[in-house]
Amino acid sequence: MSLISIVVPCFNEEASIPIFYNEIQKIIKQMNSNFELIFIDDGSTDATLETIKKLNKIDNQIKYISFSRNFGKEAAIYAGLKNSVGDYIVVMDVDLQDPPELLPKMYNYIINESYDCVATRRVDRKGEPPIRSFFARLFYKIINLISDTEIVDGARDYRLMTRQMVNSILNLQEYNRFSKGIFSWVGFRNKWLEYENIERFAGETYWSFWKLFKYSLEGIIAFSTMPLSISSITGFMFCLLAFALIIFLIIRTLMFGDPVAGWPSLICIILFMGGLQLFSIGILGQYLSKTYLETKQRPIYISKEDNIKK
Ligand code: UDP
Ligand code: MG
């Protein structure tokens, strides 16, 4: 019988964990496999760890890792994948926005149709503020335009993968982890399952608009170097423009003399060029700072407490 590892990142989820556990038990009973549950407490400030430990007392199939601080969902996913031993591994949110009922179907696809990965995407964004949906869509348009790695709109981190695929994901040791890109970058045969958005049943989302914005910039920087080219291309275009302008001015002066006028336009041009230069340096700085962080080779997470047998 094969072993399925369920990786569950948790950040301040004391309310959701018991309900999630009950739901997942129903699915586990339906399926003819062994299971291990790995809860990652991502530096929660509420009773998340105590709740997990309480469950662990009644169910010793539960593994947990508790981080020394909040390292973010990406780090939690990495820790879970790394400490899983299953033949098949699934990443699932604890707020039941990733419907556990899909798991048997996902498993069937992998077993019977030899997919390496069954991933899920939501086809709508019901219950989300319209402005957030708008920017989310815009983000996917932009990143797919400028990145070679396909980032699917609405893709969740909820996916069932083979051990082989998980091992390749673990081989990507980068510190700035943008999972949606990493899952796609490693390749393998992927099947998409679609479902309608389900609202969180307890607790609240950690993602503010600002956090999402920073996260999307991270995704773009991690999976595309196009912004760097864009700044050099615009720089080059402006050089050409300036050159043409110089020639035009010389000819005009030779033909009509030089009536001094137009300093407002001059100021505008100076401001515009200055802004453009700062913007380009900013882009450069973003890449440089990421490179800087990568060269430090810091660990992706620090475990304060766990029950993983080494
Ligand atoms: N999460 C985490 N670390 C964080 C933020 C979130 O482990 O820093 C977990 C959270 O507990 C949940 C999952 O990641 O299980 C998805 O988070 P959330 O529901 O806030 O995101 P959304 O569903 O709104 O995208
Ligand atoms: Mg959620």
Side-chain angles (χ1 to χ4, degrees), residues 9-11 13 40 42 70 72-73 76 92-95 97 132 156 200 204-207:
C10 307
F11 178 57
E13 301 279 11
I40 296 96
D42 185 8
N70 180 250
K73 187 182 179 188
M92 215 187 272
D93 283 4
V94 74
D95 57 10
Q97 279 187 307
R132 177 184 279 204
R156 306 277 307 170
R200 188 178 241 287
E204 50 192 272
T205 178
Y206 155 90
W207 296 96

Side-chain angles (χ1 to χ4, degrees), residues 67-306:
F67 288 179
S68 59
R69 64 167 171 87
N70 180 250
F71 277 86
K73 187 182 179 188
E74 309 293 335
I77 292 177
Y78 176 82
L81 296 181
K82 195 170 158 95
N83 290 288
S84 65
V85 292
D87 307 302
Y88 303 98
I89 299 95
V90 61
V91 179
M92 215 187 272
D93 283 4
V94 74
D95 57 10
L96 296 181
Q97 279 187 307
D98 295 337
E101 310 84 80
L102 279 182
L103 192 58
K105 199 169 158 193
M106 292 161 87
Y107 185 65
N108 279 342
Y109 272 115
I110 286 207
I111 296 297
N112 300 330
E113 297 185 30
S114 65
Y115 282 103
D116 300 295
C117 172
V118 182
T120 58
R121 62 181 287 255
R122 4 176 235 179
V123 281
D124 64 346
R125 297 181 166 269
K126 215 168 46 205
E128 215 184 51
I131 182 101
R132 177 184 279 204
S133 310
F134 171 77
F135 279 107
R137 294 232 163 77
L138 189 69
F139 162 71
Y140 284 108
K141 284 235 171 65
I142 293 177
I143 196 163
N144 282 315
L145 202 68
I146 64 180
S147 168
D148 297 333
T149 309
E150 196 197 359
I151 317 280
V152 176
D153 186 358
R156 306 277 307 170
D157 292 328
Y158 183 27
R159 50 176 74 219
L160 180 68
M161 297 169 277
T162 59
R163 169 63 28 197
Q164 187 193 20
M165 177 161 169
V166 167
N167 285 344
S168 358
I169 289 168
L170 290 172
N171 272 334
L172 267 67
Q173 285 285 340
E174 60 215 72
Y175 179 77
N176 296 290
R177 300 186 78 77
F178 183 69
S179 287
K180 287 187 204 324
I182 290 178
F183 288 143
S184 163
W185 189 89
V186 294
F188 294 100
R189 261 193 85 196
N190 195 359
K191 163 89 190 161
W192 286 101
L193 288 185
E194 299 185 343
Y195 67 92
E196 277 173 22
N197 192 26
I198 302 164
E199 285 183 49
R200 188 178 241 287
F201 73 93
E204 50 192 272
T205 178
Y206 155 90
W207 296 96
S208 62
F209 190 81
W210 176 238
K211 285 217 171 80
L212 276 176
F213 179 72
K214 282 203 302 195
Y215 182 64
S216 49
L217 280 190
E218 219 141 84
I220 290 177
I221 289 167
F223 280 90
S224 167
T225 49
M226 185 65 101
L228 287 174
S229 323
I230 291 176
S231 61
S232 27
I233 292 169
T234 18
F236 182 70
M237 304 273 269
F238 274 99
C239 282
L240 284 186
L241 194 71
F243 190 67
L245 216 65
I246 288 169
I247 296 190
F248 168 75
L249 285 179
I250 291 176
I251 294 176
R252 198 182 65 171
T253 314
L254 288 179
M255 288 170 71
F256 305 106
D258 183 20
V260 180
W263 70 268
S265 52
L266 198 67
I267 296 292
C268 289
I269 292 170
I270 290 176
L271 274 182
F272 182 63
M273 290 311 294
L276 203 69
Q277 279 165 0
L278 279 181
F279 180 66
S280 303
I281 295 175
I283 294 178
L284 207 66
Q286 287 293 322
Y287 282 91
L288 194 67
S289 68
K290 294 293 171 207
T291 319
Y292 171 63
L293 287 176
E294 294 292 347
T295 53
K296 288 191 179 198
Q297 303 223 340
R298 286 182 180 161
I300 295 167
Y301 68 93
I302 296 171
S303 155
K304 182 167 166 241
E305 191 184 335
D306 60 54

Side-chain angles (χ1 to χ4, degrees), residues 11-26:
F11 178 57
N12 292 344
E13 301 279 11
E14 57 179 4
S16 314
I17 291 172
I19 307 166
F20 171 80
Y21 182 75
N22 285 339
E23 290 299 311
I24 203 75
Q25 285 307 314
K26 288 183 203 157

